[in-house]
Amino acid sequence: MQINAARVNERLAYLTRFGTTPDGGVTRYAFTPAEQAATNTVAGWMAEAGLEVRRDAVGNLFGRLPGRRPGPAVLTGSHLDSVPNGGHYDGPAGVLAALEAVQSMKEQGIVPEYPIEVGSFIGEEGSRFPHGLLGTSFLTGTFPCDEIDHIADRDGVTIAAALRAHGYDPARAAEAAVAPGTYKAYVELHIEQSGMLEARGLPAGIVSGIAGMRQARGVIRGRAEHAGACPMDLRRDPMPAVAEVILEVERAARELSPATRATVGFVQASPGAANVIPAAVELSFDIRDLDGDRRDACVERIRTFFDEVSRRRGLTGEFEVQHTSIPIRCDAHIVQTMHEAAAAINLEPFELPSGAVHDGANVSLICPVGMIFVRSRDGLSHCPQEYTSPEDIAAGTSLLAETLLRLAK
Ligand code: GLV
Ligand code: MN
Ligand code: MN
């Protein structure tokens, strides 16, 4: 089927104005003016397209194209939030490709057998609240609602407070969970964020599975003292301990397997001054693997080392897992459907795994999941240089539209 390639790319370009950074990237956290403006804009486009538009109890946005039958619906979409100083394609590409596919169907008078819903899910990145895949955690009923008053951003604003500030009642957040059988499939288009498609010269590919992630927060506490007056052998300085831990994080992932990834992306000393030995250093851990057991082994190795180095240096350490997502294999029937869809548009059906995490990991708990990747230039993502060409966006959108048509039959 035809899609409007110019329209999806123009919309993608339009959204770049919400949260633009000085170096051309984007910072668009959940429940901030930039993210709300982007979401409202997309809601407007959904309404213009003639979809039934609604928000759920936590602000996930949906636009529905009714089918001949009431349900179950095929769900497709992605997110509009970003990492700090990230790129303009991670998330919006999937939301807008989904909208384009569905709007084109409507314009061409195609009525699917089952409804197709376009979703834009809140807080996928976990950049503001230390709980990524936030919107789909509520959607799938897996968010720990007793934590809603405790999980907070770096300014101490809790998820409950953010919801309240945007007109949502946190006491009703659990109502965002959908009933079993609501969806028959979930398909997300996303940028690849790696270089396999580029290496093969392909605009788009079929995702075979999504890595599982575990994120933790560590704090090592020592004693603040004068950087010049305190002799080296009398210090209780947490910073060298953190340095040891960071090297172990790199070693652990390298030694476990090529599919293991471990990253320390955030380090903060307090009080944080050149002439003060830190009283404490906080750091983040992000550990992933396509194999959940191997990921967990990596986490345990790092945790053990973290405790050992803290003890050996006379410091105290706290290591707390904050968020976990499950590794999944994409659904065999959806993958097969994507092969047929690829054949229909003369695209080589190339399968590849996702090292990044996506909402599909959560959604797999309520329905079968598949994903389409579009080529990322130089494999770059989570940075301002992130780029996917208009031609590749169009090819991926066509593959998505063909897939949705077949799944909604
Ligand atoms: C999301 O982009 C993630 O994989 O962290
Ligand atoms: Mn991302
Ligand atoms: Mn993303």
Side-chain angles (χ1 to χ4, degrees):
M1 66 168 279
Q2 278 300 117
I3 55 113
N4 187 334
R7 181 168 57 196
V8 61
N9 282 296
E10 279 159 19
R11 284 175 174 168
L12 206 40
Y14 190 90
L15 287 189
T16 63
R17 72 196 58 206
F18 302 117
T20 307
T21 58
D23 35 5
V26 61
T27 299
R28 203 190 285 140
Y29 293 163
F31 294 118
T32 58
E35 185 255 9
Q36 293 294 299
T39 305
N40 289 337
T41 300
V42 172
W45 289 334
M46 286 174 166
E48 239 173 73
L51 306 184
E52 298 169 5
V53 184
R54 73 185 167 88
R55 309 270 180 129
D56 70 9
V58 294
N60 289 315
L61 169 69
F62 297 92
R64 186 180 177 96
L65 175 70
R68 292 184 205 283
R69 302 182 197 214
V74 174
L75 181 63
T76 177
S78 194
H79 60 97
L80 296 174
D81 68 316
S82 82
V83 296
N85 206 19
H88 292 285
Y89 298 82
D90 176 355
V95 174
L96 297 178
L99 174 56
E100 180 52 47
V102 168
Q103 183 164 5
S104 287
M105 284 179 205
K106 196 158 165 63
E107 286 169 351
Q108 291 162 42
I110 299 170
V111 182
E113 191 65 18
Y114 294 92
I116 304 178
E117 262 189 25
V118 179
S120 174
F121 308 112
I122 60 160
E124 191 272 350
E125 295 285 9
S127 298
R128 178 172 179 189
F129 303 106
H131 194 290
L133 314 184
L134 188 62
T136 51
S137 297
F138 284 105
L139 184 82
T140 54
T142 52
F143 183 84
C145 280
D146 47 338
E147 290 288 309
I148 200 163
D149 279 311
H150 302 294
I151 301 175
D153 66 14
R154 294 197 182 277
D155 297 323
V157 179
T158 62
I159 295 175
L163 283 171
R164 222 175 276 116
H166 287 81
Y168 299 98
D169 178 359
R172 303 185 64 173
E175 291 173 17
V178 295
T182 299
Y183 296 114
K184 73 193 293 262
Y186 174 68
V187 181
E188 176 170 350
L189 175 145
H190 203 279
I191 57 166
E192 183 198 344
Q193 313 182 279
S194 190
M196 291 174 77
L197 289 170
E198 191 172 61
R200 288 188 69 106
L202 290 172
I206 299 167
V207 178
S208 53
I210 305 175
M213 169 178 76
R214 189 155 279 177
Q215 291 181 324
R217 169 182 178 269
V219 184
I220 301 184
R221 296 181 200 282
R223 188 173 58 206
E225 283 198 69
H226 195 290
C230 182
M232 296 308 287
D233 58 351
L234 292 184
R235 300 173 174 218
R236 286 175 53 217
D237 182 353
M239 192 58 93
V242 166
E244 283 198 54
V245 169
I246 292 171
L247 290 173
E248 174 66 6
V249 167
E250 185 189 38
R251 226 172 6 244
R254 280 176 181 273
E255 287 175 12
L256 274 162
S257 89
T260 313
R261 317 266 195 266
T263 306
V264 174
F266 175 89
V267 179
Q268 190 167 58
S270 39
N275 59 355
V276 184
I277 297 166
V281 181
E282 179 184 344
L283 70 166
S284 65
F285 300 93
D286 179 301
I287 296 138
R288 308 176 184 214
D289 204 303
L290 289 159
D291 180 312
D293 291 339
R294 204 166 49 207
R295 177 218 38 208
D296 294 349
C298 189
V299 173
E300 284 322 304
R301 173 169 161 175
I302 291 166
R303 187 205 297 265
T304 302
F305 186 90
F306 179 93
D307 290 342
E308 186 269 317
V309 76
S310 301
R311 231 181 358 256
R312 167 159 52 78
R313 287 176 170 271
L315 307 161
T316 53
E318 298 157 26
F319 185 103
E320 175 203 8
V321 172
Q322 292 185 305
H323 183 235
T324 298
S325 73
I326 54 169
I328 66 157
R329 284 207 62 75
C330 288
D331 177 72
H333 170 68
I334 297 181
V335 167
Q336 179 53 35
T337 305
M338 286 177 180
H339 278 256
E340 291 160 21
I345 58 168
N346 287 319
L347 178 76
E348 183 187 323
F350 175 61
E351 289 187 28
L352 70 172
S354 175
V357 166
H358 301 285
D359 278 312
N362 272 344
V363 183
S364 73
L365 299 169
I366 58 167
C367 71
V369 165
M371 284 191 78
I372 289 167
F373 272 172
V374 289
R375 171 165 48 189
S376 291
R377 186 175 66 192
D378 298 332
L380 292 174
S381 176
H382 281 188
C383 58
Q385 292 73 25
E386 183 179 283
Y387 178 76
T388 297
S389 73
E391 295 75 24
D392 292 356
I393 292 287
T397 305
S398 290
L399 181 60
L400 178 67
E402 293 286 342
T403 302
L404 293 172
L405 268 183
R406 287 166 173 78
L407 291 174
K409 263 204 185 118

